[in-house]
């Protein structure tokens, strides 16, 4: 998901950040530090275009303009200094627009209330601000003017500070504040404010009971460049129509067929780990999980084999560039990518644009190939339709006669790709981290895998037998929810708990806080899969009354919940069945950082050894029917049980109907 790709630090006013580290080339010297703007400009005698780099939106959230002072560069020309000035001016404009949009100027309501916004727009326009900036900036002012009235005083209020944004990921201080201020509080950063929700009944109100009164807010703004009007950022009618088209594609037969795909992809990873174990080399598991889940989702969504475990160029690089950009934008202080000229000048933006174009072209050709396949089929479309050669979601959508523009279809595919990639990778990463700290849980898990699977590959029937494995995933998702915060904006006035709130509030529902609340969990910090009864229902937001919502809830609940649960269960079972995993000796302590999901700061370096038992040589016979020219898989488990029997209390049917009412 990305967050759902999402970090609420977006649009915090620049002045609330502290600047203390910059990427500085040798010999560069500081010519100006603007405390007000928190921008630091480093000097150059004769800069070249290659020497200029803007470091905004970095993980460490520092902003700086760096120019080299090394002698003459072959690329330097007479216009060099002029270009620097132009860039700095653009920068200044962007910064000011962002500060206006962030509501910085709403702090002094007394004078701002007197402002004529139309006049302000006219004046700024004369000063050369582009129209799009103005629209955003004025909208920001308007939004902030509407907030901050009498109801605001009633909601407990916390004040953010530079220290608050220090080095810990943002959801950690939010947890501390939750323990102090309770399940609903307002977090103020200067004039900007956010409502932080950590109370299950309020989360339920927003996500389910009154979901129509809330939109995706800033999340939609961040993700627009890569997901367009895809399901995650879309709101209103577009979302309703696309959800109705996409949910049926993830039917029971499809998800069952995916088990073989999960196993095949995990087997490729096992081969890599075999080699590492043999050579005694440590492995960085986070990036391997990212590749595993990219391979899975490419095949599952549009029948494309990224083969990213062995291939790192071309389309794989383009996808990673787009993903990284989405994450960088989600934590950006200043939206530099909104500056029209910046798109053409900044090497990063040029690379992003080229990558998006490359991905779009690839998707277009995959859509074409699939269309031809569908046209040549003797099609009998029905509810559980699935093409054996190409069971992908794209094939289902085209076969269903879905009347959709190719741009919308691309947005949908891209959204599914991103939503289903980083989330599952993060779940696997943190599960292995947690297991490395609890050897007794690992032992119990391996015992279950040995007795259920032995040396064979998992099938759909095993999903209901791998009970403890599923509980390990459930518990990992409790401690490390992906994403740790869900973002919404109120579209109308509402009442949350006992507090009235106004239209236009930016809201963060902290799943991290909900999942670790001392009010709802015994020993909330403990990794304890046993807290979930082994023969009980699979825990979800409904049976846990919104104190546990790993896949969200209400009409916008994740469409890939079962897919993801089975994917992670299959990968976990196969890996721990074959290997032992320990933290690598001398590895950095594992820290957290946020993008769309929770990442490690330095990767997850582990030592992998073969378990002392005969190595598993899996046989795909009878499980993967055909690997034809397209390398596609189907599941032979024709007598699969209903997925709902697997203990997954499916809420998808429920969500489809809720979503479409
Ligand atoms: C363990 C892996 C996953 C986790 C933890 C996860 C989590 C979530 C969460 C929490 C949401 C709700 C976001 C919100 O309310 O703002 C969501 C939405 C979504 N997820 Fe997942 N997800 C996972 C895997 C997947 C996969 C594999 C797919 C696709 C095959 C997928 C597709 C989506 C889509 C399309 C949405 C948006 C639904 C809508 O707004 O109608 N997710 N996911």
């Amino acid at each position: 998901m990305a967050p759902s790709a999402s970090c609420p630090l977006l649009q915090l006013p620049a002045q609330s950040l502290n600047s203390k580290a910059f990427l500085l080339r040798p010999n560069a010297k500081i010519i100006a530090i603007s405390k007000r703007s928190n921008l630091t400009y480093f000097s150059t005698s004769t800069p070249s275009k290659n020497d200029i780099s803007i470091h905004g939106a970095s993980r460490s959230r520092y902003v700086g303009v760096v120019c080299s002072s090394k002698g003459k560069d072959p690329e330097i020309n007479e216009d060099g200094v002029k270009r620097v000035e132009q860039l700095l001016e653009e920068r200044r404009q962007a910064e000011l627009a962002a500060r206006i949009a962030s509501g910085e100027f709403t702090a002094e309501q007394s004078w701002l209330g007197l402002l004529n916004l139309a006049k302000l727009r006219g004046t700024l326009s004369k000063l050369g601000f582009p129209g799009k900036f103005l629209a955003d900036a004025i909208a920001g002012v308007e939004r902030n003017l509407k907030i901050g009235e009498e109801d605001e005083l009633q909601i407990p209020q916390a004040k953010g500070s530079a220290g608050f944004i220090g080095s810990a990921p943002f959801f950690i201080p939010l947890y501390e504040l939750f323990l102090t201020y309770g399940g609903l509080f307002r977090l103020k950063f200067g004039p900007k404010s956010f409502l932080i929700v950590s109370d299950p009944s309020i989360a339920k109100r927003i996500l389910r009971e009154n979901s129509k009164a809330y939109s995706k807010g800033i999340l939609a703004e961040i993700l627009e460049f890569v997901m367009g009007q895809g399901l995650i950022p879309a709101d209103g009618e577009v979302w309703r129509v696309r959800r109705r088209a996409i949910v049926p594609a993830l039917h029971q037969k499809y998800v069952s067929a995916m088990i073989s795909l999960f196993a095949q992809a995990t087997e490729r990873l096992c081969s890599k780990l075999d080699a590492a174990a043999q050579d005694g080399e440590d492995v960085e598991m986070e990036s391997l999980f990212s590749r595993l889940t990219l391979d899975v989702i490419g095949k599952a969504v549009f029948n494309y084999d990224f083969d990213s475990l062995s291939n790192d160029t071309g389309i794989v690089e383009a996808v990673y560039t787009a993903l990284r950009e989405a994450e960088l934008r989600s934590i950006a202080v200043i939206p530099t990518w909104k500056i029209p000229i910046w798109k053409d000048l900044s090497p990063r933006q040029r690379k992003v644009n080229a990558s998006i174009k490359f991905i779009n072209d690839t998707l277009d050709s995959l859509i074409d190939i699939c269309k031809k396949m569908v046209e040549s089929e003797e099609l009998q479309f029905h509810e559980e339709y699935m093409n054996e050669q190409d069971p992908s979601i794209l094939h289902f959508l085209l076969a269903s006669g879905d009347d959709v523009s190719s741009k919308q279809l691309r947005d949908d595919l891209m959204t599914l790709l991103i939503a289903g990639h980083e989330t599952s990778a993060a779940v696997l990463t943190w599960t292995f981290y947690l297991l490395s700290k609890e050897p007794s849980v690992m032992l119990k898990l391996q015992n279950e895998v040995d007795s259920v699977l032995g040396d064979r590959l998992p099938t759909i029937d095993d999903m209901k037998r791998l009970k403890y494995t599923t509980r390990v995933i459930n518990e990992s998702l409790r401690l490390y929810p992906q994403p740790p915060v869900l973002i919404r904006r109120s579209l109308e006035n509402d009442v949350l708990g006992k507090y009235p709130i106004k239209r236009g509030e930016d809201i963060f529902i902290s799943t991290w806080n909900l999942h670790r609340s001392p009010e709802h969990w015994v020993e909330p910090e403990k990794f304890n899969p046993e807290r979930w009864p082994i023969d009980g229902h699979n825990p979800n937001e409904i049976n846990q009354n919104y104190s546990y919502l790993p896949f969200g809830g209400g009409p916008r609940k994740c469409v890939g919940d079962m897919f993801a649960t089975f994917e992670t269960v299959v990968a976990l079972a196969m890996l721990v069945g074959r290997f032992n995993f320990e933290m690598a000796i001398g590895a950095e302590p594992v820290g957290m950082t946020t993008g769309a999901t929770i990442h490690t700061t330095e990767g997850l370096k582990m030592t992998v050894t073969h378990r002392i038992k005969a190595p598993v040589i899996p046989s795909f016979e009878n499980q993967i029917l055909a690997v034809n020219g397209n390398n596609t898989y189907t599941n032979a488990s024709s007598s699969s049980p209903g997925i709902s029997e697997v203990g997954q209390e499916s809420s998808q049917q429920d969500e489809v109907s809720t979503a479409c009412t």
Side-chain angles (χ1 to χ4, degrees):
M1 175 200 114
S4 61
S6 54
C7 168
L9 289 181
L10 179 99
Q11 294 184 350
L12 294 182
Q15 83 277 8
S16 62
L17 302 174
N18 57 355
S19 45
K20 55 184 180 190
F22 295 93
L23 236 95
L24 192 52
R25 293 181 181 210
N27 304 329
K29 87 179 177 224
I30 296 172
I31 53 171
I33 297 178
S34 161
K35 285 255 166 68
R36 183 94 190 100
S37 65
N38 256 354
L39 284 181
T40 301
Y41 303 127
F42 299 102
S43 89
T44 173
S45 44
T46 43
S48 81
K49 72 171 183 241
N50 289 341
D51 280 328
I52 302 162
S53 53
I54 303 281
H55 299 280
S58 65
R59 279 214 171 143
S60 45
R61 300 183 211 103
Y62 301 122
V63 183
V65 179
V66 181
C67 305
S68 161
S69 64
K70 274 189 184 168
K72 236 180 159 28
D73 185 298
E75 285 199 56
I76 293 171
N77 60 35
E78 300 296 317
D79 293 325
V81 174
K82 222 172 171 184
R83 262 207 309 277
V84 177
E85 283 167 359
Q86 193 187 355
L87 283 174
L88 293 179
E89 179 54 23
E90 293 292 346
R91 181 78 179 181
R92 196 191 61 75
Q93 286 194 4
E95 184 200 348
L96 186 53
R99 285 168 60 197
I100 295 169
S102 78
E104 178 178 349
F105 301 109
T106 61
E108 296 179 47
Q109 299 271 332
S110 51
W111 69 262
L112 191 70
L114 302 174
L115 254 189
N116 177 334
L117 291 182
K119 210 167 166 192
L120 176 65
R121 191 193 305 266
T123 312
L124 291 176
S125 173
K126 275 186 205 140
L127 287 172
F129 283 85
K132 176 80 176 74
F133 279 166
L134 290 183
D136 290 351
I138 300 290
V141 172
E142 278 172 339
R143 251 202 323 275
N144 280 281
L145 274 175
K146 287 196 186 102
I147 299 168
E149 286 140 34
E150 65 289 359
D151 62 300
E152 186 186 350
L153 297 174
Q154 296 168 21
I155 297 176
Q157 191 166 301
K159 217 170 156 67
S161 69
F164 173 86
I165 309 174
S167 52
F170 71 93
F171 51 83
I172 300 292
L174 284 189
Y175 185 72
E176 304 295 321
L177 291 173
F178 152 59
L179 297 180
T180 311
Y181 293 96
L184 176 69
F185 64 91
R186 183 181 295 284
L187 180 63
K188 291 205 69 150
F189 275 92
K192 185 84 191 160
S193 81
F194 306 85
L195 291 181
I196 312 297
V197 173
S198 318
D199 176 295
S201 64
I202 298 179
K204 187 175 180 182
R205 165 95 191 152
I206 297 168
L207 296 175
R208 189 177 187 98
E209 293 164 355
N210 197 22
S211 61
K212 285 194 178 116
Y214 295 88
S215 73
K216 287 293 181 97
I218 54 177
L219 191 67
E221 291 157 19
I222 304 164
L223 295 177
E224 207 274 336
F225 85 103
V226 61
M227 293 190 189
Q229 291 267 65
L231 210 51
I232 287 187
D235 280 311
E237 187 59 8
V238 175
W239 168 78
R240 202 183 65 80
V241 170
R242 296 319 297 153
R243 174 120 188 164
R244 206 179 257 247
I246 289 168
V247 166
L250 288 107
H251 52 70
Q252 187 165 316
K253 192 170 161 202
Y254 168 80
V255 177
S256 304
M258 289 300 109
I259 303 287
S260 298
L261 167 61
F262 304 151
Q264 175 104 350
T266 307
E267 184 48 36
R268 284 198 223 172
L269 173 56
C270 286
S271 305
K272 258 197 143 34
L273 296 181
D274 275 336
Q278 209 107 45
D279 300 346
E281 270 176 23
D282 292 339
V283 281
E284 202 287 276
M285 293 303 293
E286 187 173 32
S287 72
L288 290 176
F289 285 138
S290 173
R291 283 153 199 279
L292 167 71
T293 57
L294 180 62
D295 288 355
V296 165
I297 203 77
K299 205 73 191 140
V301 172
F302 36 72
N303 193 29
Y304 186 83
D305 189 359
F306 286 107
D307 193 12
S308 66
L309 278 162
S310 36
N311 167 17
D312 208 0
T313 52
I315 187 71
V316 174
E317 198 191 335
V319 169
Y320 277 113
T321 302
L323 287 171
R324 265 196 307 272
E325 181 66 15
E327 301 217 316
L328 287 173
R329 288 187 185 195
S330 72
I331 54 172
V333 179
I334 297 173
T336 45
W337 60 89
K338 286 190 178 175
I339 307 168
I341 196 168
W342 196 249
K343 281 200 280 247
D344 307 320
L345 283 180
S346 148
R348 186 180 108 199
Q349 290 312 317
R350 282 214 305 266
K351 189 171 177 199
V352 169
N353 295 339
S355 300
I356 300 271
K357 183 168 180 328
F358 188 22
I359 298 168
N360 283 343
D361 291 347
T362 309
L363 288 178
D364 279 341
S365 64
L366 289 171
I367 292 170
D368 278 349
I369 294 170
C370 193
K371 270 188 183 149
K372 288 196 183 103
M373 268 182 97
V374 171
E375 276 159 18
S376 66
E377 252 173 76
E378 278 184 28
L379 198 67
Q380 285 189 324
F381 189 79
H382 56 93
E383 237 184 24
E384 290 228 311
Y385 165 85
M386 197 182 77
N387 180 293
E388 302 287 319
Q389 271 79 47
D390 171 11
S392 70
I393 292 177
L394 171 62
H395 201 108
F396 179 95
L397 291 176
L398 291 176
S400 71
D402 186 21
D403 182 19
V404 61
S405 70
S406 38
K407 159 89 175 82
Q408 181 63 54
L409 193 52
R410 270 198 333 245
D411 289 349
D412 291 338
L413 300 178
M414 205 48 205
T415 302
L416 289 166
L417 176 78
I418 295 177
H421 167 229
E422 289 283 307
T423 42
S424 301
V427 172
L428 286 169
T429 301
W430 291 106
T431 303
F432 276 74
Y433 168 71
L434 289 165
L435 286 169
S436 74
K437 297 201 303 179
E438 290 291 345
S440 62
V441 176
M442 179 62 117
L443 198 64
K444 197 166 166 186
L445 176 63
Q446 287 176 322
N447 285 341
E448 178 180 88
V449 172
D450 289 349
S451 72
V452 172
L453 293 183
D455 286 351
R456 63 178 178 79
L457 291 170
T459 66
I460 184 70
D461 294 326
D462 295 318
M463 295 303 101
K464 64 178 176 208
R465 297 192 194 110
L466 290 166
K467 292 180 182 178
Y468 192 70
T469 315
T470 309
R471 294 293 171 258
V472 168
I473 295 291
N474 299 146
E475 180 67 347
S476 165
L477 269 166
R478 184 184 68 81
L479 283 169
Y480 293 91
Q482 313 292 348
V485 161
L486 305 180
I487 297 184
R488 292 293 188 274
R489 181 176 290 154
S490 56
L491 296 171
E492 41 190 76
N493 298 353
D494 194 10
V495 178
L496 296 182
K498 57 185 176 183
Y499 302 110
I501 65 148
K502 293 261 184 275
R503 173 177 187 271
E505 294 273 17
D506 282 319
I507 300 171
F508 303 133
I509 300 168
S510 171
T511 3
W512 178 275
N513 289 357
L514 284 161
H515 287 193
R516 290 174 181 244
S517 167
E519 281 173 38
H520 301 289
W521 306 96
V522 180
E523 293 190 279
E525 307 287 324
K526 188 170 162 49
F527 175 52
N528 177 22
E530 277 76 9
R531 76 173 69 242
W532 308 106
I534 195 95
D535 289 317
H537 279 303
N538 201 49
N540 62 27
E541 78 288 359
I542 295 169
N543 58 35
Q544 298 302 309
N545 210 4
Y546 278 74
S547 53
Y548 176 73
L549 44 156
F551 294 103
R556 305 218 58 162
K557 182 175 175 176
C558 179
V559 302
D561 56 348
M562 268 179 228
F563 180 111
T565 305
F566 290 168
E567 178 188 16
T568 46
V569 164
V570 166
L572 176 59
M574 285 178 66
L575 288 167
V576 302
R578 186 127 143 206
F579 302 101
N580 283 320
F581 294 85
E582 279 168 60
M583 293 305 293
I585 295 169
E588 294 280 318
V590 178
M592 288 182 291
T593 178
T594 34
T597 52
I598 309 171
H599 293 278
T600 68
T601 42
E602 307 289 338
L604 183 67
K605 296 195 189 74
M606 302 195 102
T607 303
V608 188
T609 46
H610 283 116
R611 288 183 63 206
I612 306 181
K613 56 176 211 167
V616 182
I617 311 289
S619 157
F620 285 94
E621 237 180 304
N622 300 328
Q623 298 209 36
I624 293 162
L625 281 187
V627 181
N628 62 14
N630 254 346
N631 230 16
T632 49
Y633 330 107
T634 53
N635 196 295
S637 185
S638 52
S639 58
S640 311
I643 289 178
S644 48
E645 292 169 39
V646 179
Q648 303 289 320
E649 197 176 288
S650 170
S651 50
Q652 275 196 12
Q653 294 305 331
D654 172 39
E655 298 311 333
V656 179
S657 49
T658 322
C660 298
T661 45

